[in-house]
């Protein structure tokens, strides 16, 4: 009974107004471990558990897509020990979780420059992507060796090549066209971005895609980000008024005349 209760959508959330796509910057693993006198990588191990739990929660609550920032193009600047640990952790998780993803009907996809990753990890990524390609209940998109500026530069290069080859005219380069050349081409933009650990920045994540996303920052460190914390983020999201440049109450002609 208790499990059933936990897995259903909390009653104070409106199922009609849930974000369809949630993106997360999973930050604070290192601090979480350091606070306990443990090596930083212990935080990454715990952070992986948090991500698994969040994916399951999104699925239980009917959210269609989850995008997680796992490793940025700038994270190569960390110590080789930490980078190696992360690469091994990603590989191991992919292997361990594949059966779960199949059972739960999760389609896993990746964004970022995968060619820069260790070969064994690339193979694991390729395998998991292929095996889950037909799953439909939730799309789980992982950003690894991802940097938004690199992604945009790459899109520009591809568009420029098409123009150079005479396949496209410069005049036809539109927002929609650029979007087709981004790593996220087939996914709608996130409705909600969550960043944990109190840092108020995007750290080169989805700069194009987040143009109209609701941003939510919390001081909670990623390994501590549980269902209750996610519930709070969704409540805040549902309290926001997403106007997309319009206004909630249209101005009447008479009111405009009166002010003139
Ligand atoms: C985020 O946690 C995980 C990755 C970047 C891989 P951090 O490792 O950045 O944790 P802090 O910010 O140092 O606490
Ligand atoms: C952003 O976190 C990258 C990921 C969560 C994968 P960082 O910890 O690398 O970001 P900065 O360095 O604090 O901006
Ligand atoms: Mg960090």
């Amino acid at each position: 009974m208790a499990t059933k209760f936990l897995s259903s959508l909390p009653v104070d959330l409106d199922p009609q107004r849930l974000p369809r796509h949630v993106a997360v910057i999973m930050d604070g693993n290192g601090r979480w471990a350091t606070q306990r006198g443990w090596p930083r990588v212990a935080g990454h191990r715990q952070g992986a558990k948090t991500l698994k739990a969040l994916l399951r929660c999104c699925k239980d609550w009917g959210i269609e897509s989850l995008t997680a920032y796992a490793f940025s193009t700038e994270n190569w600047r960390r110590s080789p020990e930490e980078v190696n640990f992360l690469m091994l952790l990603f590989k191991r998780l992919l292997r361990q979780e594949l059966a779960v993803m199949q059972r739960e009907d999760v389609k896993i996809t990746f964004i970022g420059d995968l060619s820069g990753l260790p070969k064994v990890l690339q193979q694991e990524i390729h395998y998991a992507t292929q095996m889950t390609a037909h799953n439909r209940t939730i799309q789980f998109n992982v950003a690894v060796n991802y940097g938004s500026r690199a992604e945009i530069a790459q899109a520009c290069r591809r568009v420029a090549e098409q123009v150079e080859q005479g396949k496209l005219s410069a005049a036809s380069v539109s927002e929609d066209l650029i979007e087709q050349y981004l790593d996220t081409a087939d996914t709608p933009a996130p409705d909600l971005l969550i960043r944990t650990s109190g840092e108020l920045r995007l750290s080169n994540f989805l700069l194009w895609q987040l143009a109209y996303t609701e941003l939510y920052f919390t001081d909670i460190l990623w390994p501590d980000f549980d269902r209750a914390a996610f519930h709070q983020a969704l409540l805040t999201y549902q309290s926001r008024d997403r106007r997309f440049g319009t206004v909630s109450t249209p101005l009447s002609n008479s009111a405009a005349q009166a002010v003139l």
Side-chain angles (χ1 to χ4, degrees), residues 85-97:
F85 179 93
L86 283 166
M87 296 301 145
L88 287 172
L89 181 68
F90 297 151
K91 182 169 81 78
R92 195 206 284 173
L93 278 171
L94 272 175
R95 174 147 306 179
Q96 278 174 357
E97 295 304 308

Side-chain angles (χ1 to χ4, degrees), residues 24-31 40 44 68-75 77-78 86 90 143-146 195-197 199 201-205 222:
V24 280
I25 302 179
M26 313 184 282
D27 200 10
N29 292 350
R31 278 164 281 173
R40 291 178 51 81
H44 297 319
Y69 202 7
F71 192 88
S72 74
T73 45
E74 289 72 30
N75 287 147
R77 296 175 185 154
R78 297 186 179 197
L86 283 166
F90 297 151
V144 201
N145 194 19
Y146 175 86
R195 182 172 188 150
T196 55
S197 90
E199 308 298 351
R201 55 177 170 268
L202 297 178
S203 302
N204 205 10
F205 191 46
W222 176 252

Side-chain angles (χ1 to χ4, degrees), residues 158-178:
R158 290 194 189 146
V159 170
E161 276 162 19
Q162 299 285 308
V163 174
E164 238 172 34
Q165 293 165 15
K167 293 180 184 157
L168 270 180
S169 69
S172 67
V173 180
S174 61
E175 293 181 18
D176 284 348
L177 183 100
I178 292 173

